[in-house]
Amino acid sequence: MGVDIRVENLNAWYGPVHTLHDVSLHIPANHATALIGPSGCGKSTFVRCLNRMHETSPGARADGTVLMGDIDIYKDATPVEIRRRVGMVFQRPNPFPTMSIYDNVASGLKLNGFRKKRVLDEVVERSLKQAALWDEVKDDLKKKSGASISGGQQQRLCIARALAVDPEVLLMDEPASALDPVSTAKIEDLIFKLKSQYTIVIVTHNMQQAARVAENTGFFLMGKLVEFAPTTKIFTNPSDKRTEDYITGRFG
Amino acid sequence: MNEPKIIPLPPVPEEPPSAPHRITPSPMIKTMLPQTEMGSPVAVAPVTPSAVRMFLQAKSSGRMADGAFASLMVVCALSIFAIVILIVSVLVSHSQLSIKAFGWHFFSTRTWDPVSGDFGALPFIYGTVLSSLLAVLMAVPLALATSIFLLDICPKFLQAPISFLTELLAAIPSVVYGLWGVFVLVPIIRDQAGPVLEKYLGWTGLFVEPNFGVNMFAASVILAIMIFPVISSISRDVMRAVPVHQREAVLALGATRWEMLRIGVLRNARMGIIGSVILGLGRALGETIAVTMVIGNHAAIMKNLFAPGYTLASVIANEFSEATGDLYLSALIEIGLALFLVTIIVNAIARLLVWAVVRDNAGSAH
Amino acid sequence: MDALPLRSRGVSNFVTVRRNLTNHVVTGVAIISTILVLVPLVAIFGYLLYKGASSLNLAFFTHVPVPVGEPGGGMANAIAGSGVILGLASLLGIPVGIGAGVYLAEYARGTWLGAAVRFTADVLNGVPSIVMGLAAYALIVARQQHFSGMAGSVALAIMMIPTVTRTTEEMLATVPKSVREAALGLGIPKWRTVLSVSLRTASPGIITGCMLAFARVAGETAPLLFTAFGNQFWSFDLNQPIAALPLQIYVYALSPYDEWHRLAWAGALVLIVLIMASVTLVRIFANRGVLKGGN
């Protein structure tokens, strides 16, 4: 099951550039939360700070408190430990090209030293079913490479791979931006099903997508969290002028 | 929402008849009614806390392994420095005897007399420089012409086989060149090319009989063949790196092919071409076995290319195993040290030139 | 310098004729040069095939050298000796080279230390092989007071390192950043990510690079002259002199005996064929079992 995320005064820098300013919010457990805003507004940086992925970029640093359940991710744990609790799905599908479909899904466990084959088989099947990919690939699990399937299938494979480690939180950084409309609909469908079991944070530049899948939505602008509220409120009755301008298409 | 969903293994119940490919109908309705999704029957519940989760949480973060691995990689990288330092220090220490005995005169003395223990490296320096320069003189025009041919003139179907053949030239071991030199090239130079060259160019003093085929000229020809692939492949790379718009700009002015090559390509790629020539020179300076087999191995400084010669590398190869006496060995190792330093400097210059060109072109391509 | 003559054709016919003539001359020179280059190339391969094939027989692969005057004999011990020396050299040189390449690509991007290592590797790549032989002599042979196959392996290993390092680095640089992020995002430690994701994805290119390094040193004679030294008999003891194919070819080629010349040609052909065959075999072997990515 998912855990909630409390962020207090999170600031982030890429080298000298201050990309996040004092972001504070409470992301409830087992719901989908969407983050919207024009490109470069800091929403991607924000999710990368939630599993400390920003640390893989040279010169990036973050400052503040992020509580995931009862764990302060910057104080109580290493990046590796955090990332084992948090699944991440990236903008472009990035399956491991030299691994089979099976190995792709099992990679989070296998590469961490998990050896029980029977459990692995179960986990792979369960994750692929959760990602609605099982029926399409079950005959080629070990024969086909993760890179040999279509783009939409690859992205669902990446979701299955993230689910296989049984995460508490699922971060999705514009998961459908590189996909065609049919694949996008499938991914949205999936998020809809999964959000009762995982805390899902989804970054998107597509406002309809946020409206379709998320209970809560946060609007980022120039590194600041402008407004964070239930999705219906954001889209029907925003309290900030800038949010209203953005969702009515007056800029960005 | 937090109802404990403890479902025993196996965690894969049959899926409800949900259609995974269904495209969400009327999305706005769902958005208006998000709460209906609570406890959705569609979901396949994971085991909580599952075996997987417990395993991963018990697993150490691998910080120790990460640190150990990173240090191992650093050690590997630093070993490259260590190797260079080790080579220099061991060569310096083993040539101390000779360095003390002859000092800088070692490099300006023309006698090499193991019997009386009098050693000077000048004949070898002369032989190395002369044979390498001659080789470069012969190889560069051919290599450039071949590169131009392959890039701009050659019909498509011939391109791949010819460039493959020239690359193959680089894969032939030195000793095989030497073997071919001894049994094919040397007789040709002695019997066919020799008389002709003497007849027409004998007046220069460069081609004077007697000519046994085993001489400076043969060594230069062998070297030219050996460094040809180095120069041609790298110069082809730098010529290809010249942005297409540079060529098109010149062609658009009504230039002929040669003018386009000269102005649009060669001028832009000249630093890289010079770099490739110097790399070839570096290879020629250090080439050992093939040269040793055809140069005649005689320590003398002669203008006549039909006279036998000697190079820094070939004197080491030829005499080191049989050298008696510490001073003799030490003098040979000092020659090795000199060769090492010279090739390092030559290669460093060449690398810097090639890098500069590739970087500049990468920069201007955007 | 000479600017393009931009006058129209009608005004200056002479210039146009000269320009076109130059163009044709240069084209002709390029074609003739290429033919001139192809001649020795074909000559070397043709002669090697002709002489080598006509000198080869079964005894070459099964017998050791015989004393001067006796007919027959082969280079079986030299083929085996080369295998032993090269095996140890690869064992020493390839891991270090790959490690250094991993450091450059995964840990030292954009650092001055990385640039220094890269530059040193490039420069080391240009050091003459005879100098490597001298260094191995001074380091090992002079200390032990006897020639040894191991000293030869060390010299060859040092020669392999820069090539392996640079290709490993270049091949790792082609692995997309997104694939690394996928692994790190799963909570896989960096060392495991490097080994099982980066290196594995780049493995076909890295293996090719290792084979090129191998092929380059497999034909080397100079570094073995006063390290492995050569041996007329069977020997696998790395602490003793060992025969090697290039050494044996060198000695036989410079001998005054026709029978030995014959063996030298046979040896040269076998050397080249063995190098090419081992390179091809490893590549086929390495490509098997690697799943082909689509797109």
Side-chain angles (χ1 to χ4, degrees):
Chain A
M1 295 306 281
V3 294
D4 65 337
I5 305 168
R6 280 175 194 281
V7 179
E8 281 156 29
N9 298 322
L10 186 68
N11 283 280
W13 294 264
Y14 277 104
V17 187
H18 196 167
T19 49
L20 278 185
H21 301 265
D22 283 322
V23 175
S24 301
L25 80 169
H26 178 208
I27 298 170
N30 301 324
H31 282 77
T33 301
L35 305 175
I36 58 170
S39 51
C41 67
K43 54 195 195 298
S44 283
T45 308
F46 176 75
V47 286
R48 290 173 79 87
C49 287
L50 296 185
N51 68 345
R52 298 179 67 172
M53 275 307 278
H54 68 285
E55 291 172 24
T56 61
S57 315
R61 69 201 161 85
D63 176 65
T65 311
V66 177
L67 285 168
M68 203 163 269
D70 47 8
I71 297 170
D72 182 336
I73 69 162
Y74 287 101
K75 289 211 181 73
D76 303 340
T78 63
V80 166
E81 285 162 349
I82 290 305
R83 292 175 197 153
R84 283 178 186 154
R85 293 171 168 268
V86 179
M88 189 157 194
V89 178
F90 297 83
Q91 198 163 357
R92 297 191 158 270
N94 54 358
F96 300 125
T98 50
M99 293 187 195
S100 66
I101 292 170
Y102 180 99
D103 282 341
N104 258 286
V105 180
S107 56
L109 291 167
K110 271 183 149 177
L111 297 185
N112 270 316
F114 193 84
R115 292 272 171 275
K116 294 183 191 134
K117 203 183 159 312
R118 199 184 54 83
V119 181
L120 279 178
D121 287 347
E122 283 168 10
V123 167
V124 169
E125 185 174 344
R126 188 203 77 210
S127 311
L128 284 171
K129 281 182 174 166
Q130 278 182 295
L133 189 62
W134 175 252
D135 292 329
E136 292 161 57
V137 300
K138 66 182 175 210
D139 299 325
D140 306 305
L141 279 184
K142 299 194 177 178
K143 274 180 274 171
K144 274 195 180 170
S145 141
S148 65
I149 51 183
S150 77
Q153 288 175 323
Q154 287 186 21
Q155 194 62 306
R156 278 179 282 145
L157 177 63
C158 292
I159 293 175
R161 180 175 66 189
L163 294 177
V165 295
D166 200 1
E168 293 162 340
V169 175
L170 197 56
L171 305 177
M172 302 178 128
D173 187 358
E174 308 205 14
S177 68
L179 303 180
D180 60 278
V182 176
S183 302
T184 303
K186 283 184 188 167
I187 301 280
E188 285 178 14
D189 217 22
L190 212 55
I191 296 169
F192 217 84
K193 286 180 202 159
L194 293 171
K195 68 183 179 187
S196 62
Q197 305 156 56
Y198 305 96
T199 307
I200 295 179
V201 182
I202 173 170
V203 169
T204 176
H205 59 244
N206 177 336
M207 283 179 280
Q208 283 72 34
Q209 190 168 65
R212 283 194 292 265
V213 301
E215 281 87 1
N216 296 305
T217 296
F219 171 58
F220 278 81
L221 187 64
M222 290 159 74
K224 294 196 178 82
L225 179 62
V226 174
E227 187 167 356
F228 183 61
T231 303
T232 39
K233 181 169 183 306
I234 287 263
F235 283 100
T236 54
N237 185 21
S239 46
D240 194 291
K241 180 77 171 60
R242 289 167 294 175
T243 315
E244 194 182 330
D245 285 350
Y246 181 70
I247 60 161
T248 53
R250 240 163 266 164
F251 68 88
Chain B
M1 200 163 64
N2 283 331
E3 52 174 319
K5 263 194 195 161
I6 299 167
I7 295 172
L9 284 170
V12 191
E14 61 272 40
E15 282 220 79
S18 84
H21 314 298
R22 173 179 50 107
I23 295 169
T24 318
S26 178
M28 280 319 283
I29 293 176
K30 281 200 179 178
T31 314
M32 294 309 159
L33 308 163
Q35 301 314 315
T36 56
E37 280 302 311
M38 296 289 214
S40 148
V42 205
V44 184
V47 199
T48 21
S50 66
V52 164
R53 189 96 302 270
M54 291 198 304
F55 168 82
L56 285 176
Q57 271 167 21
K59 184 98 183 142
S60 83
S61 71
R63 269 211 167 150
M64 294 272 286
D66 258 350
F69 184 76
S71 348
L72 192 65
M73 298 302 109
V74 174
V75 168
C76 287
L78 294 183
S79 73
I80 292 180
F81 291 134
I83 287 169
V84 172
I85 293 168
L86 204 63
I87 291 176
V88 174
S89 65
V90 64
L91 290 181
V92 168
S93 76
H94 277 76
S95 52
Q96 277 308 310
L97 219 54
S98 161
I99 292 175
K100 287 216 179 81
F102 308 113
W104 290 107
H105 289 299
F106 186 71
F107 299 106
S108 56
T109 309
R110 33 193 327 164
T111 40
W112 181 261
D113 187 355
V115 182
S116 64
D118 201 3
F119 298 105
L122 195 60
F124 313 117
I125 296 172
Y126 172 80
T128 300
V129 171
L130 182 62
S131 61
S132 303
L133 285 182
L134 280 176
V136 167
L137 273 181
M138 285 185 259
V140 168
L142 289 176
L144 291 186
T146 313
S147 303
I148 289 172
F149 176 77
L150 280 175
L151 279 181
D152 279 296
I153 302 170
C154 179
K156 277 272 178 294
F157 70 97
L158 273 176
Q159 245 165 21
I162 292 181
S163 51
F164 176 72
L165 270 175
T166 55
E167 315 270 299
L168 263 190
L169 216 50
I172 299 177
S174 175
V175 69
V176 177
Y177 277 112
L179 185 68
W180 181 80
V182 167
F183 292 105
V184 181
L185 184 66
V186 164
I188 290 177
I189 287 179
R190 184 182 57 215
D191 303 330
Q192 275 92 43
V196 177
L197 283 170
E198 204 208 2
K199 190 170 166 200
Y200 293 104
L201 293 169
W203 55 271
T204 56
L206 294 175
F207 301 98
V208 182
E209 302 279 0
N211 161 20
F212 300 106
V214 184
N215 53 36
M216 186 67 85
F217 185 63
S220 308
V221 173
I222 277 271
L223 278 178
I225 299 176
M226 294 181 76
I227 64 174
F228 169 81
V230 180
I231 301 176
S232 85
S233 74
I234 296 179
S235 61
R236 213 175 329 147
D237 285 347
V238 283
M239 284 189 206
R240 209 182 279 133
V242 173
V244 180
H245 63 78
Q246 297 267 8
R247 298 159 165 260
E248 287 172 347
V250 182
L251 278 181
L253 292 174
T256 63
R257 176 155 61 200
W258 164 240
E259 286 158 348
M260 181 268 286
L261 287 168
R262 191 171 47 119
I263 298 164
V265 178
L266 292 180
R267 193 173 293 174
N268 281 306
R270 64 184 182 279
M271 295 295 274
I273 292 172
I274 293 171
S276 78
V277 171
I278 300 178
L279 274 183
L281 180 69
R283 172 109 197 259
L285 291 174
E287 181 47 50
T288 313
I289 289 298
V291 173
T292 310
M293 290 168 86
V294 299
I295 200 170
N297 299 329
H298 177 69
I301 298 177
M302 305 231 217
K303 186 182 165 198
N304 182 7
L305 298 180
F306 282 163
Y310 228 156
T311 67
L312 293 167
S314 60
V315 70
I316 303 171
N318 207 38
E319 299 188 6
F320 195 82
S321 313
E322 283 123 45
T324 47
D326 289 342
L327 186 62
Y328 193 2
L329 280 176
S330 178
L332 286 169
I333 292 179
E334 189 178 350
I335 287 179
L337 179 64
L339 185 59
F340 177 74
L341 295 178
V342 168
T343 47
I344 276 200
I345 291 167
V346 169
N347 275 294
I349 294 170
R351 286 290 167 197
L352 288 175
L353 283 175
V354 174
W355 274 15
V357 170
V358 173
R359 201 192 45 220
D360 284 358
N361 281 327
S364 67
H366 293 298
Chain C
M1 296 273 285
D2 27 17
L4 268 179
L6 282 173
R7 266 172 294 171
S8 73
R9 216 188 310 176
V11 176
S12 177
N13 242 327
F14 173 70
V15 172
T16 310
V17 169
R18 204 195 60 203
R19 283 173 59 199
N20 283 336
L21 200 65
T22 318
N23 190 34
H24 289 310
V25 168
V26 172
T27 307
V29 167
I31 293 173
I32 292 168
S33 306
T34 308
I35 295 169
L36 213 64
V37 166
L38 291 177
V39 167
L41 196 69
V42 174
I44 291 176
F45 276 109
Y47 206 74
L48 183 65
L49 276 176
Y50 161 70
K51 284 292 263 187
S54 62
S55 315
L56 264 182
N57 54 25
L58 188 64
F60 183 87
F61 297 99
T62 54
H63 288 59
V64 298
V66 293
V68 183
E70 287 179 34
M75 294 194 184
N77 61 332
I79 296 173
S82 269
V84 172
I85 292 171
L86 288 168
L88 182 63
S90 306
L91 231 52
L92 293 173
I94 290 178
V96 175
I98 291 182
V102 166
Y103 171 77
L104 289 180
E106 305 276 340
Y107 291 91
R109 282 249 153 264
T111 64
W112 66 267
L113 185 63
V117 170
R118 194 173 300 125
F119 188 75
T120 313
D122 279 352
V123 168
L124 188 63
N125 204 14
V127 171
S129 56
I130 187 92
V131 174
M132 296 296 185
L134 272 186
Y137 172 89
L139 269 177
I140 299 172
V141 178
R143 218 158 279 177
Q144 290 190 324
Q145 300 288 327
H146 61 78
F147 297 110
S148 70
M150 197 180 58
S153 294
V154 168
L156 296 186
I158 292 176
M159 295 183 62
M160 293 177 84
I161 290 173
T163 318
V164 176
T165 300
R166 295 292 273 128
T167 20
T168 303
E169 189 203 353
E170 275 162 28
M171 291 303 138
L172 283 177
T174 65
V175 177
K177 185 171 164 247
S178 66
V179 172
R180 279 188 193 92
E181 283 193 334
L184 294 174
L186 286 166
I188 298 163
K190 176 148 186 178
W191 68 272
R192 197 67 212 245
T193 303
V194 170
L195 281 181
S196 302
V197 176
S198 303
L199 278 176
R200 187 167 156 188
T201 307
S203 60
I206 294 176
I207 289 168
T208 306
C210 291
M211 288 322 298
L212 285 180
F214 176 89
R216 191 186 145 204
V217 300
E220 281 290 350
T221 316
L224 302 179
L225 282 172
F226 19 88
T227 51
F229 192 71
N231 193 327
Q232 295 297 303
F233 306 101
W234 283 105
S235 170
F236 292 105
D237 186 355
L238 280 165
N239 216 7
Q240 295 296 325
I242 291 186
L245 201 46
L247 274 179
Q248 201 76 3
I249 297 168
Y250 176 64
V251 172
Y252 276 17
L254 293 179
S255 74
Y257 313 110
D258 281 345
E259 180 68 7
W260 282 13
H261 294 163
R262 182 185 70 77
L263 285 170
W265 280 108
L269 181 61
V270 170
L271 180 62
I272 289 189
V273 169
L274 281 182
I275 290 174
M276 307 238 163
S278 54
V279 170
T280 320
L281 269 181
V282 170
R283 286 180 75 166
I284 292 172
F285 181 73
N287 280 338
R288 225 177 40 190
V290 174
L291 289 156
K292 291 274 182 303
N295 304 342

